[in-house]
Amino acid sequence: MSFAGPDPVRVALDAAVRAPSPHNSQPWRFEVDGDRVGVFLDPDRILKVADPDGREARLACGAAILNVRLALRAAGRTPVAHLLPRRDVPEHLATVWARGRVTPTPDDVAMARAIAYRRSNRRAFTAREVPVWVRQALVRAATEEGAHLAVVGRAAQLDELGVLLREAERLQREDLAFQDELRQWTAPDGSRDDGVPASAAGSGPEWPFDRKPLVAVLSSYTDTRLAQLRAGQAMQRVLLRATTAGVSVSFLSQPVEIPALRAAVARLVSAPGNAQVVLRFGYGFAAPATRRRPAEVVTRYTVHG
């Protein structure tokens, strides 16, 4: 992905569609008016069983918003984002403007380039531990976007989280509606531009704590739509910071998709507010990229005159 082209808005849209989303559902659409990008939630792509209130979909759109911001800055434009700009249009989650010229820093460019290389690695990790300086950088990345990243550090915490993961997996395995929805979003490799290909499946919640990967909980201080969008941006900044450090990341979505267990996750790490995402970090083998719908498929351009 090049950030030096003549159309920074188009580059930003290409970056936006690379954001992660539950089951690779890609619950976003965009509207472009000159140097302005509107980011909208696509309600038809909210997972009705796993994500009935759209919380995870808004996190995903928050990640797309951060990608737009980072891509614009790497292209030499100042990104200005306004979240939830219209109360009368709840699906309108953000407007991002490409403002005046700015000189991107090497880190700006590195973070933007990481968008194309970030993967959700669902496979086993090696025994190599994530160094302290990387952990500190991940925590700072979350803080930069107004969220909190808490490392699950003690053995007792890891054991308790393992119990929560297994309970969540059991509940979802026994939920026929959940399993049907999962099948709808699982597809043979290369057959569609959304969903998760069968080859991307990992080891599930039993990955466990056999190799002791770094596990962390990203939390927001409130659980409003605005907080969820900010948490999504924080999540993506953490993921991209990990990518720049050569660290693999996977989502442990099960316990935060079940309200009672989500609350237990927050209590486990004494998180301020609401647990939004559980992540594991480590060193893994190369993971394949999941396909994305092209930017032009999910973008509408305003024509004047």
Side-chain angles (χ1 to χ4, degrees):
M1 181 183 295
S2 172
F3 296 93
D7 186 357
V9 169
R10 176 53 197 258
V11 173
L13 292 170
D14 288 339
V17 299
R18 295 176 184 260
S21 58
H23 295 352
N24 193 26
S25 52
Q26 304 171 43
W28 46 64
R29 59 184 180 85
F30 308 97
E31 293 186 4
V32 174
D33 184 356
D35 62 357
R36 182 173 61 193
V37 178
V39 182
F40 292 78
L41 176 67
D42 185 343
D44 292 335
R45 286 180 167 265
I46 294 175
L47 303 179
K48 300 303 188 292
V49 180
D51 185 32
D53 62 358
R55 180 186 65 85
E56 289 185 303
R58 284 186 287 274
L59 292 177
C61 289
I65 292 166
L66 184 79
N67 282 1
V68 171
R69 290 170 49 203
L70 292 175
L72 288 176
R73 189 166 187 87
R77 301 291 293 272
T78 300
V80 177
H82 183 191
L83 302 181
L84 300 179
R86 294 185 58 183
R87 293 186 177 181
D88 60 325
V89 185
E91 292 82 15
H92 190 176
L93 301 182
T95 298
V96 186
W97 286 266
R99 294 302 197 194
R101 297 289 177 181
V102 66
T103 301
T105 67
D107 188 62
D108 290 334
V109 175
M111 288 287 281
R113 285 179 175 169
I115 293 170
Y117 297 101
R118 185 210 61 81
R119 304 281 189 272
S120 296
N121 194 336
R122 301 169 179 84
R123 299 175 177 178
F125 289 175
T126 70
R128 179 183 174 190
E129 292 188 6
V130 176
V132 172
W133 72 265
V134 174
R135 299 182 184 208
Q136 294 171 341
L138 298 174
V139 171
R140 287 195 301 270
T143 301
E144 189 173 342
E145 297 295 334
H148 179 78
L149 188 72
V151 174
V152 184
R154 298 195 306 272
Q157 286 180 307
L158 288 169
D159 290 343
E160 187 173 345
L161 181 58
V163 171
L164 294 176
L165 280 166
R166 287 187 286 273
E167 175 63 8
E169 194 276 339
R170 181 188 67 79
L171 291 172
Q172 290 182 338
R173 185 177 60 247
E174 295 175 356
D175 185 334
L176 298 182
F178 178 89
Q179 291 299 319
D180 182 61
E181 182 175 73
L182 179 61
R183 283 190 293 271
Q184 292 174 22
W185 288 97
T186 303
D189 295 3
S191 64
R192 52 195 277 189
D193 288 333
D194 59 7
V196 179
S199 63
S203 54
E206 297 297 332
W207 55 276
F209 307 106
D210 53 354
R211 296 184 184 276
K212 298 292 191 297
L214 174 65
V215 181
V217 178
L218 187 140
S219 303
S220 60
Y221 292 89
T222 63
D223 203 26
T224 62
R225 292 190 303 143
L226 180 62
Q228 291 163 4
L229 289 176
R230 288 175 172 164
Q233 292 178 86
M235 173 188 74
Q236 181 69 348
R237 189 172 286 277
V238 168
L239 296 175
L240 295 175
R241 180 58 67 197
T243 301
T244 65
V247 171
S248 293
V249 190
S250 65
F251 290 85
L252 303 177
S253 301
Q254 299 93 335
V256 291
E257 291 176 341
I258 299 173
L261 300 184
R262 182 183 173 210
V265 170
R267 291 192 298 270
L268 175 65
V269 294
S270 300
N274 303 269
Q276 299 290 353
V277 186
V278 182
L279 301 167
R280 65 169 180 143
F281 303 87
Y283 294 92
F285 303 99
T290 50
R291 296 179 61 170
R292 294 293 193 275
R293 294 179 295 162
E296 57 268 21
V297 172
V298 294
T299 303
R300 182 173 71 88
Y301 288 83
T302 300
V303 179
H304 297 282

